[in-house]
Amino acid sequence: MNSNPTIWRATVLTLFPEMFPGPLGVSLAGRALSSGLWALETRDIRDSATDRHRSVDDTPAGGGPGMVLRADVLAAAIDAAGVASDRPRLLMSPRGRPLTQSWVAELAAGLGPLIVCGRFEGVDQRVIEARALEEVSVGDYVLSGGEIAAMALIDACVRLLPGVMGKCESGADESFSEGLLEYPQYTRPQTFEGRPIPDILTSGDHAKVAAWRQAEAEALTRARRPDLWGGRKGPKSTTDG
Ligand code: SAH
């Protein structure tokens, strides 16, 4: 719809184009899509099938269960998408590099990726190599297809695009932005089932609030994600053991 070449664009190759925009069509991402802050192009891999039955998959060489997406069909679908060579070409894959907030920020700052969604047992290795697809994982578990993983990636990128989030600072403070998980949040009512909001948050002392939040974020990160805590760059606070 939007042919503006400078707009951040996700081009999704899938066997199930009817899944899109799906959740990307509502709330923050959906409003931004309707107002032209980003563009979504969904392409059906099956349109590149060449045989009478429009088949896209075949049995795995060497045997074993399931089906594999054919290299020739997928390569034709990628080529037909005609995306500029300076756009990232991603393949959603449980074998891929784990997606992180810093990678998301990098992708959001670029032109927007081509994203291939696998199905079945995955895709023929040769198309990954021949089209230089970079494999991206959304976690150490197996989904039945790449579409939901692609939506997670796109959603995470879109909310960082200029103008998408209400306040420009709302992305700066949240989980992972400083290598920390976010501090706990509270809102009215003042007391919920006998639990008051921590006094400091209603004290009006902004410096104390900031110090409390920093300490809470550090304690949470140390307790829940020692991997993040250990990998943090920059100075650690005096509470570091
Ligand atoms: N047999 C494969 C799994 C195939 S799952 C294996 O063991 O590695 C089918 C498709 O779902 C994959 O091709 C991929 O596109 C997608 N998918 C599944 N889990 C994923 C994950 N954790 N991250 C990203 N994509 C995933």
Side-chain angles (χ1 to χ4, degrees):
M1 278 220 315
N2 199 320
S3 55
N4 180 350
T6 60
I7 200 172
W8 193 91
R9 168 183 300 265
T11 301
V12 179
L13 268 54
T14 170
L15 288 170
F16 299 98
E18 65 274 24
M19 288 176 76
F20 291 86
L24 298 171
V26 301
S27 191
L28 204 66
R31 281 197 302 273
L33 184 59
S34 318
S35 54
L37 292 173
W38 67 289
L40 176 65
E41 184 191 1
T42 312
R43 303 179 65 97
D44 192 342
I45 295 169
R46 201 171 293 279
D47 289 344
S48 297
T50 50
D51 66 357
R52 210 158 55 83
H53 304 289
R54 303 185 80 209
S55 53
V56 294
D57 57 341
D58 212 327
T59 54
M67 301 293 273
V68 176
L69 263 165
R70 289 170 55 133
D72 53 350
V73 174
L74 196 48
I78 292 167
D79 297 346
V83 304
S85 59
D86 49 354
R87 289 176 59 196
R89 295 168 167 224
L90 309 176
L91 169 66
M92 303 318 296
S93 160
R95 304 187 316 188
R97 170 149 74 102
L99 188 61
T100 60
Q101 187 64 18
S102 57
W103 194 1
V104 164
E106 220 176 276
L107 289 169
L111 300 169
L114 167 88
I115 306 175
V116 177
C117 300
R119 277 275 157 181
F120 323 121
E121 292 306 314
V123 312
D124 188 306
Q125 179 64 27
R126 293 168 296 178
V127 72
I128 303 176
E129 294 163 11
R131 293 298 178 275
L133 301 178
E134 183 166 19
E135 295 179 67
V136 189
S137 169
V138 295
D140 291 344
Y141 45 83
V142 181
L143 300 166
S144 50
E147 290 78 9
I148 291 174
M151 287 174 193
L153 183 151
I154 294 168
D155 181 81
C157 289
V158 163
R159 60 197 291 287
L160 298 183
L161 298 176
V164 173
M165 272 195 280
K167 282 187 290 175
C168 52
E169 66 272 24
S170 50
D173 216 25
E174 56 192 6
S175 287
F176 311 115
S177 54
E178 306 279 338
L180 292 175
L181 304 178
E182 196 183 60
Y183 48 79
Q185 300 276 15
Y186 299 86
T187 186
R188 279 184 284 271
Q190 170 59 36
T191 302
F192 165 68
E193 295 183 352
R195 299 160 188 263
I197 295 174
D199 283 342
I200 233 164
L201 297 180
T202 48
S203 67
D205 185 332
H206 299 301
K208 275 195 180 145
V209 168
W212 181 88
R213 286 178 167 169
Q214 179 71 19
E216 289 288 319
E218 292 182 3
L220 265 173
T221 308
R222 276 212 290 188
R224 294 188 182 176
R225 294 292 303 273
D227 58 319
L228 285 180
W229 183 255
R232 279 181 78 210
K233 296 189 198 82
K236 291 179 185 170
S237 85
T238 49
T239 57
D240 193 17

